[in-house]
Amino acid sequence: EITIVLVKNPVGLNQVIDMVGTESEPLSFVGLLNANYADGIDTSWIWDGNFEKLTQMPIQQYMTGGERYTDITFRLKVAGVE
């Protein structure tokens, strides 16, 4: 089962993180970050998301991708994701 959620701002991001927190079964987390004109080229809002909460969840594997994958990967590392 896969759930795909589009996030465009920190409020939506924190809602998704809270939604992930309702899961009790082990899961994988995939974060894809792009910066196309239609999506908004400024992705600095990822720093306002509470990714630190993810470290307390039953996430077995993290994956990142997208044209700004290095930004989302670094943000997860700063949040404490190994």
Side-chain angles (χ1 to χ4, degrees), residues 4-6 8 11 13 21 23-24 30 35 38 42 47 55 66 68:
I4 299 173
V5 182
L6 174 65
K8 290 190 167 205
V11 172
L13 175 59
E23 285 294 322
S24 58
V30 179
D42 178 13
W47 291 94
T55 63
R68 300 291 291 271

Side-chain angles (χ1 to χ4, degrees), residues 30-34 63-73:
V30 179
L32 306 172
L33 185 63
N34 287 319
M63 295 168 272
T64 59
E67 62 185 31
R68 300 291 291 271
Y69 75 93
T70 56
D71 294 339
I72 192 69
T73 301

Side-chain angles (χ1 to χ4, degrees), residues 9 15 19 33 37 59 74 80-81:
N9 58 55
Q15 288 178 333
M19 179 185 72
L33 185 63
Y37 182 75
I59 300 173
F74 183 65
V81 173

Side-chain angles (χ1 to χ4, degrees), residues 8-76:
K8 290 190 167 205
N9 58 55
V11 172
L13 175 59
N14 285 329
Q15 288 178 333
V16 169
I17 291 170
D18 289 343
M19 179 185 72
V20 172
T22 66
E23 285 294 322
S24 58
E25 297 295 320
L27 60 115
S28 296
F29 179 89
V30 179
L32 306 172
L33 185 63
N34 287 319
N36 297 314
Y37 182 75
D39 300 324
I41 57 173
D42 178 13
T43 57
S44 63
W45 57 267
I46 64 172
W47 291 94
D48 297 324
N50 194 357
F51 285 104
E52 288 74 12
K53 281 185 174 182
L54 295 176
T55 63
Q56 306 303 313
M57 298 178 191
I59 300 173
Q60 295 181 324
Q61 181 179 13
Y62 291 85
M63 295 168 272
T64 59
E67 62 185 31
R68 300 291 291 271
Y69 75 93
T70 56
D71 294 339
I72 192 69
T73 301
F74 183 65
R75 177 63 185 98
L76 289 170

